[in-house]
Amino acid sequence: MVNEIQIQVNGEPRGWRDGGTVADLLSDLAIATERVAVELNLEILDRKDFGQRSLREGDRIEILGFIGGGCESKGESDGRER
Amino acid sequence: MDANDRLTIGGHEFRSRLWVGTGKYKDFAETKKAIEASGADVVTVAVRRVNITDRSKENLLDYIDPKKYTILPNTAGCYTVEDAVRYARLARAAGISDLVKLEVLGDERTLFPDTAGLIEAAKILVKEGFIVLPYTNDDPIVAKKLVDIGCPAVMPLAAPIGSGLGIRNPYNLKIIMETVKVPIIVDAGVGTASDAALAMEYGADAVLMNTAIAGAQHPIAMAEAMKYAVYAGRLAYKAGRIPRKLYATASSPIEGML
């Protein structure tokens, strides 16, 4: 039996399986690990650690990537900011 | 374009002296076409949350090949030193390079840089090994301080971001060019081709723009116009213009006249 835990991903609450790693989460979300940055509880993770870092109850994870931007950009990644 | 007229910053070599932003376009296809028409080999991008609810959305980097272009992440939208440093670190973690276009903005209405915050953030990031390209005011003293900290280039604004006003203070820009010995990239405020040409004629090493192209009625045509403007301005600068004089100087000889 895998226990369900609650985490926050990009500001949204999300159920997650206890013991699942950052790499598992990215894979579940269909996000390629290249060219994303992951911040776990405000700590920026090294990409090579994604497979080792398990998520725990209450963890806050941020997944960021590159979007269209010039000098000043707002909003989320759909390439139509500013 | 002259293949030997290269721009080198922090160990990176660039072919084009026009750098472009990737925001505000209709879609990624237009972004790609405009960048190609501009001839730019440096493109700026922002760092934002990945959309986790709709993964069908395309990614900018599917259209802009990081092997073909230098991707320059910015810290756009950051109003504090802490935020700017955090976004710079995230950009590096996302794994393109140590390059960062550092912005610490002072106020939403003008988007003018908070130069005190900028200097503080630049100090931290230079120490961490970043190649910091700071978006700054047209203030020669601040430009000098940024260079003293270790910024390998400075990016003074021509006018407020997206304003299209052109170079508001050419004399300050000229003083910056004489004061600091690193490349100067005029960033923000360009409205049309002549603005870009002027910046280059004054002696800027490159021009960075986004809105002037993306916001034009025909962005791809404007991108091409900017390419030639920057090129023409660069050639004119290197050619050395004639001095301005109040009175005429005949260009045809008087000898041989009836």
Side-chain angles (χ1 to χ4, degrees):
Chain A
M1 253 284 290
V2 179
N3 290 326
E4 167 129 338
I5 57 168
Q6 283 296 316
I7 58 171
Q8 249 194 49
V9 184
N10 285 5
E12 301 287 327
R14 190 177 190 92
W16 183 242
R17 53 183 185 272
D18 201 5
T21 64
V22 170
D24 295 334
L25 177 67
L26 291 172
S27 160
D28 269 26
L29 293 169
I31 295 170
T33 55
E34 57 189 29
R35 296 190 208 122
V36 293
V38 175
E39 200 186 62
L40 177 57
N41 303 325
L42 300 179
E43 176 204 351
I44 298 171
L45 300 185
D46 204 317
R47 187 170 291 121
K48 67 175 177 4
D49 297 334
F50 288 177
Q52 275 91 62
R53 291 297 286 262
S54 307
L55 296 169
R56 296 174 212 293
E57 177 71 33
D59 274 352
R60 301 163 71 94
I61 188 164
E62 295 286 350
I63 306 163
L64 298 99
F66 295 118
I67 63 149
C71 306
E72 158 70 356
S73 317
K74 284 179 176 163
E76 291 211 350
S77 40
D78 64 359
R80 290 179 194 82
E81 296 70 27
R82 299 174 48 133
Chain B
M1 311 248 165
D2 179 0
N4 297 319
D5 189 23
R6 297 283 172 95
L7 173 61
T8 307
I9 297 171
H12 292 252
E13 199 181 69
F14 307 104
R15 288 186 316 277
S16 80
R17 289 174 182 274
L18 171 59
W19 296 8
V20 296
T22 52
K24 291 183 102 167
Y25 286 97
K26 184 172 75 186
D27 52 35
F28 290 144
E30 189 184 65
T31 314
K32 181 183 161 80
K33 278 189 199 151
I35 293 170
E36 282 169 359
S38 77
D41 65 349
V42 181
V43 300
T44 64
V45 298
V47 180
R48 292 293 180 271
R49 279 174 168 167
V50 168
N51 187 329
I52 54 167
T53 46
D54 182 6
R55 295 301 304 146
S56 65
K57 284 195 176 169
E58 293 172 298
N59 187 308
L60 174 70
L61 295 186
D62 296 335
Y63 283 80
I64 299 158
D65 184 358
K67 289 189 198 78
K68 252 175 79 188
Y69 296 96
T70 299
I71 307 292
L72 176 59
N74 63 32
T75 61
C78 294
Y79 288 84
T80 63
V81 173
E82 293 71 29
D83 268 358
V85 168
R86 183 183 185 193
Y87 275 81
R89 288 172 180 157
L90 285 164
R92 178 153 76 177
I96 302 273
S97 72
D98 294 331
L99 282 167
V100 64
K101 180 190 154 188
L102 180 62
E103 295 182 28
V104 182
L105 301 170
D107 137 273
E108 283 193 26
R109 191 163 181 218
T110 62
L111 298 178
F112 279 142
D114 167 357
T115 51
L118 181 68
I119 289 169
E120 206 183 320
K123 270 185 197 163
I124 296 168
L125 293 171
V126 165
K127 219 171 273 176
E128 293 181 13
F130 282 88
I131 299 164
V132 179
L133 311 183
Y135 162 67
T136 182
N137 234 317
D138 51 10
D139 179 335
I141 307 303
V142 173
K144 189 175 177 303
K145 286 188 178 181
L146 289 164
V147 174
D148 290 346
I149 288 166
C151 296
V154 286
M155 309 181 76
L157 52 80
I161 292 169
S163 69
L165 287 173
I167 299 170
R168 296 291 78 199
N169 200 336
Y171 302 105
N172 271 33
L173 280 186
K174 283 183 183 179
I175 293 172
I176 292 175
M177 287 163 198
E178 288 191 8
T179 313
V180 304
K181 297 297 165 217
V182 300
I184 310 289
I185 300 146
V186 171
D187 178 11
V190 165
T192 187
S194 52
D195 296 335
L198 263 183
M200 295 305 291
E201 285 174 26
Y202 291 147
D205 293 279
V207 179
L208 170 55
M209 63 181 76
N210 190 158
T211 309
I213 296 175
Q217 294 204 16
H218 302 288
I220 295 153
M222 186 58 90
E224 194 176 8
M226 291 300 184
K227 171 171 80 177
Y228 292 122
V230 167
Y231 186 48
R234 174 70 181 167
L235 285 182
Y237 169 72
K238 291 210 298 184
R241 60 154 298 149
I242 60 163
R244 289 182 173 84
K245 288 183 294 187
L246 196 53
Y247 295 101
T249 311
S251 36
S252 307
I254 301 173
E255 244 181 68
M257 284 190 78
L258 297 176

